[in-house]
Amino acid sequence: MKTLDNFDFKDKKALIRVDFNVPLDDDFNITDATRIEAAKPTIEKVLFDGGSVILMSHLGRPKGKEDKYSLKHILTKTSETLGVDVKFADDSRGDVAKKAAEDLKPGEILLLENLRFYKEEEAGDEDFAKELASLGDIYVNDAFGTAHRAHASTTIVAKFFAEKKCFGYLLAKEIESLNKVLNDSKKPVTAILGGSKVSTKITVIENILDKVDHMILGGGMTYTFIKAQGGEVGDSICETDKLDLALEILEKAKQKGVQVHIPVDVLAADDFNNDAKTKIVDVDKIPQGWQGLDAGRKTLENFKKVILESKTILWNGPIGVFEMENFANGTIELGNYIAEATENGAFSLVGGGDSVSAVKQFGLEPKMSYVSTGGGAMLEMLEGRTLPGIAAILE
Ligand code: AMP
C-alpha cells in the first residue's frame, strides 16, 4: 500500500483531498474539529519534508456557490489546529486557484474553496479533475468519508498522477484496520451487528459470514430473526417481508460453521418512549402492546462471554435504542465488554454509523483499537465492495 512514506515531498506541492466536512453552528463556529485534527499527521509529514500543501474538501451540500457553505468559515480554526497560517483560494478552479497554488512556497498551506460549489465535483467531471490535478505534483487521498464516491477530487483526479499518488495516513489506517479484521485476523473473530433493520445490513452479514467465527445479532433486527423462528415479538420493530431471508442467513451461518448469538431476553416497553413502562421478558414471548428496546441481563451475560473470548472484534450498530437513556444500558455494557477484551489484547474495530456515535457518546472511543471515521464508506467496505477512491490510488 503506497502511503506518504513512499515519497519525499521536498519542494513538491502535495494536493491532498481531506474531509473537512465539519459541523458548524449558526455562527459558523466549528462544533467538532476531529476531522481537521485527524488530517494533521498527513499534512505535517509533507511540511516536515520541505513541501507545501494544497487542501481540497467539500462542506455540506451546497446548491452552487452558497456563502454559508464556504470553507472560509473554517480557516481560522484550521490555522489554529495546524499551527500554520493557512492561505485561502476563494475559488477551487480557474485563475484564482492556479495563481494561489503557483505562489505557494515550501512550508505553506493553501485551502481551496468548497469543491461542491461546482456540480462537476460530484459528477466526477474529467476536466474539473484535470484542472485540480494541475495544481499539485503528488496526489494524496486522506478522505475516507468520501472514498466510496467517484467524485472528481476523490477518484477521477488520481488518473492524472500516474505513479505520483498515495494514501494519507488516515485513509491508510482505515484500510489497515479493516484488513486486520476481515483478512488478517487473529481467531476467534466476532462480528457484532445491531441497528434497526436486517434489510440495511444483509450484504454486510453475507460478506462477513466467510470471515468470522461468531456473529452476535442484536438491536431492532433481533425481532425479524425471532419471528422467523416462530417467536412472539409483540409490537417490536420487525420486517415481516424479510423472514425467509432471516432463516436463510441462519442456515448459511450453520453451513459455514459460524456460531450465531441472538438475544434471549429483552427490556420491553409499552411505548417507544424513554418514560414508557418497562419489563424484562423472554425475547420470543413479547406480549402485544410491548416492544423490545434493549438487551436483557441474560443476553448481556451471553454476549459478554463470547466477546471476552474473542481476539478480533468488529462492532457495527447499537443493540438497543441508545438515544433514549433508559434503553442505552445494553449498548454501554456491550461497549464495556469490548473495551475489556481490547485491554486483554483483542483488536477491536467500531465502524459504520450509529455505533460510532454511541462509543463517542459514552466515552468508550479511547478504549477501542480503532474507531472508523467514515460511516457509509466503512459499510461499503464491510459489504466487500472496492471503493472507487481506494481503487484509484491502487491502479
Ligand atoms: P442502523 O442505522 O441500522 O445502524 O440503526 C441504528 C438505530 O437502530 C439506532 O438509532 C437505534 O436506536 C436503533 N435501534 C436499536 N435497537 C432497536 C430496537 N430494539 N428497536 C428499535 N430501534 C432500535
Side-chain angles (χ1 to χ4, degrees):
M1 194 164 56
K2 225 172 181 181
T3 73
L4 296 152
D5 295 333
N6 297 78
F7 292 93
D8 180 357
F9 288 87
K10 185 164 171 46
D11 296 324
K12 300 281 186 241
K13 289 178 177 143
L15 180 69
I16 310 181
R17 177 53 158 106
V18 286
D19 181 2
F20 283 2
N21 184 27
V22 290
L24 298 172
D25 65 16
D26 291 342
D27 299 320
F28 300 110
N29 297 307
I30 298 177
T31 53
D32 181 359
T34 312
R35 288 178 171 171
I36 300 176
E37 278 149 21
K40 218 174 153 178
T42 289
I43 295 167
E44 282 178 341
K45 147 76 178 163
V46 176
L47 298 184
F48 183 80
D49 278 2
S52 57
V53 168
I54 302 166
L55 298 173
M56 38 180 196
S57 178
H58 74 283
L59 177 67
R61 298 175 176 273
K63 295 189 176 63
K65 294 182 187 178
E66 282 187 80
D67 189 72
K68 75 171 186 176
Y69 293 112
S70 172
L71 280 169
K72 71 181 179 198
H73 301 305
I74 72 160
L75 199 58
T76 309
K77 181 73 184 176
T78 305
S79 297
E80 251 172 54
T81 308
L82 302 176
V84 175
D85 265 334
V86 177
K87 297 172 186 300
F88 184 62
D90 64 4
D91 198 344
S92 61
R93 70 190 304 186
D95 291 339
V96 171
K98 200 168 163 216
K99 174 88 174 48
E102 271 170 14
D103 290 349
L104 206 61
K105 294 182 194 64
E108 293 184 336
I109 303 175
L110 171 70
L111 173 65
L112 300 181
E113 180 57 288
N114 193 344
L115 296 163
R116 290 196 188 165
F117 280 3
Y118 290 101
K119 62 177 183 339
E120 287 85 345
E121 162 65 356
E122 288 183 88
D125 182 79
E126 285 234 10
D127 292 335
F128 183 42
K130 196 171 176 184
E131 237 183 281
L132 292 171
S134 72
L135 303 175
D137 303 304
I138 298 165
Y139 171 66
V140 182
N141 190 352
D142 212 16
F144 181 60
T146 47
H148 58 316
R149 306 280 184 229
H151 295 169
S153 70
T154 63
T155 302
I156 314 301
V157 68
K159 72 165 78 163
F160 300 102
F161 286 90
E163 297 298 307
K164 295 196 165 158
K165 56 188 174 188
C166 66
F167 296 110
Y169 291 133
L170 190 64
L171 183 43
K173 190 89 199 270
E174 293 277 357
I175 300 169
E176 253 170 46
S177 303
L178 194 72
N179 197 42
K180 249 189 178 170
V181 168
L182 294 187
N183 304 316
D184 190 19
S185 48
K186 273 203 205 127
K187 284 175 162 289
V189 184
T190 297
I192 305 157
L193 297 171
S196 54
K197 293 176 174 176
V198 188
S199 51
T200 55
K201 300 282 162 85
I202 177 67
T203 326
V204 174
I205 297 177
E206 284 181 339
N207 183 48
I208 61 179
L209 273 180
D210 285 324
K211 325 258 183 187
V212 304
D213 305 295
H214 296 274
M215 189 150 68
I216 290 179
L217 298 174
M221 74 166 98
T222 305
Y223 309 101
T224 304
F225 284 93
I226 297 299
K227 191 167 174 85
Q229 293 171 289
E232 297 291 338
V233 299
D235 293 355
S236 305
I237 184 173
C238 179
E239 292 174 279
T240 44
D241 59 333
K242 295 288 181 296
L243 301 181
D244 290 341
L245 186 67
L247 291 179
E248 268 170 43
I249 291 171
L250 294 176
E251 183 53 35
K252 259 190 210 160
K254 202 169 159 191
Q255 283 167 10
K256 291 178 192 284
V258 176
Q259 287 190 51
V260 178
H261 309 270
I262 299 181
V264 291
D265 62 345
V266 293
L267 181 64
D270 66 351
D271 191 15
F272 191 80
N273 181 332
N274 190 48
D275 303 318
K277 244 196 267 161
T278 59
K279 58 179 176 184
I280 297 271
V281 292
D282 286 347
V283 71
D284 56 352
K285 294 184 193 68
I286 304 176
Q288 284 303 321
W290 292 77
Q291 52 186 306
L293 295 184
D294 198 8
R297 176 65 20 220
K298 278 187 244 159
T299 298
L300 289 172
E301 288 304 322
N302 293 347
F303 289 0
K304 182 179 184 179
K305 193 161 170 285
V306 177
I307 290 168
L308 291 184
E309 283 169 6
S310 303
K311 288 276 173 286
T312 305
I313 301 160
L314 166 72
W315 182 19
N316 170 274
I319 59 161
V321 186
F322 74 99
E323 297 92 337
M324 293 195 254
E325 202 187 338
N326 291 338
F327 305 103
N329 177 61
T331 299
I332 297 173
E333 288 223 9
L334 187 90
N336 284 329
Y337 308 151
I338 301 173
E340 192 179 333
T342 308
E343 207 185 330
N344 294 340
F347 181 81
S348 55
L349 168 66
V350 186
D354 270 318
S355 34
V356 174
S357 329
V359 284
K360 286 189 175 167
Q361 187 178 327
F362 304 126
L364 289 161
E365 197 178 7
K367 298 179 182 170
M368 307 288 142
S369 307
Y370 193 70
V371 178
S372 175
T373 59
M378 178 51 76
L379 269 185
E380 288 199 14
M381 280 179 82
L382 291 174
E383 288 175 349
R385 288 202 239 176
T386 308
L387 309 192
I390 293 175
I393 300 285
L394 299 174
E395 265 159 24

